Amino acid sequence: MTQLRAEWEVAVLTGSEPSDGFFLFAEMRTPRRRATYSNTLRQTYDRTIAAIAAAVNKPIQYAGEQQWSVFPKPDRLDRLPASVLPLLGTRFEDVCVVVAATLWHTFHRLSLYIEALCLHEWSLFTKGVVQEPTRPVTRGAVYFLPTARPDNRRPLS
């Protein structure tokens, strides 16, 4: 992600903002706009997305007592049963995590608590990471990064 951020700053000829990730994602999902960026940025973006996808699978894979015991292994939408209801905007080639209806309703009911807990735990985690002595990062700064654009959050409804 650090390399992607550096490539992005070169492409936009300015410093980046925390909310730029949303903009970059939208740019890369539109083939016409994606083509306007350098090969280096596009390749770095693709590598970053692949690394994030692999990392995101870990808590899904190891949730519960055994691997894949809470969530089934993610798969492309076009390979899932017709009974699976995708979120709006999901493409057939997108890899999806299927969430049981009862669990989905629980997540929906508790979404604000889950989001707040995730942000809090992320802030605590990053506080414990070894930092550069010349540029220490506070928990408040870490909390600001994922909440800079709350209008971009997807409502669970």
Side-chain angles (χ1 to χ4, degrees), residues 1-155:
M1 288 180 74
T2 301
Q3 186 179 4
L4 177 60
R5 185 177 184 161
E7 291 294 333
W8 176 246
E9 288 176 351
V10 168
V12 296
L13 302 174
T14 184
S16 57
E17 294 293 324
S19 57
D20 281 359
F22 177 82
F23 181 71
L24 175 60
F25 184 72
E27 291 288 288
M28 292 295 134
R29 281 191 76 156
T30 308
R32 178 182 51 79
R33 291 191 293 212
R34 179 184 169 95
T36 65
Y37 293 100
S38 70
N39 282 336
T40 305
L41 176 63
R42 292 191 311 252
Q43 290 169 354
T44 304
Y45 174 83
D46 292 340
R47 281 194 313 271
T48 302
I49 292 297
I52 290 170
V56 167
N57 270 339
K58 298 305 179 201
I60 296 166
Q61 180 178 353
Y62 294 101
E65 296 178 11
Q66 299 173 350
Q67 291 187 37
W68 309 116
S69 62
V70 175
F71 303 100
K73 192 172 184 175
D75 204 353
R76 287 172 44 128
L77 178 60
D78 58 1
R79 292 193 287 243
L80 294 173
S83 60
V84 171
L85 299 175
L87 295 173
L88 291 176
T90 305
R91 299 174 299 187
F92 287 115
E93 66 271 12
D94 288 343
V95 175
C96 302
V97 175
V98 178
V99 179
T102 54
L103 191 54
W104 182 262
H105 291 299
T106 301
F107 287 161
H108 178 74
R109 190 168 39 86
L110 301 174
S111 64
L112 291 176
Y113 300 111
I114 293 168
E115 179 184 32
L117 180 60
C118 288
L119 291 171
H120 174 73
E121 289 298 323
W122 180 251
S123 297
L124 287 176
F125 167 76
T126 55
K127 179 183 175 190
V129 173
V130 177
Q131 299 183 31
E132 296 176 26
T134 57
R135 294 180 2 165
V137 180
T138 66
R139 278 181 49 204
V142 170
Y143 181 83
F144 174 74
L145 294 173
T147 60
R149 292 281 307 272
D151 58 316
N152 289 333
R153 295 181 186 153
R154 292 184 66 89

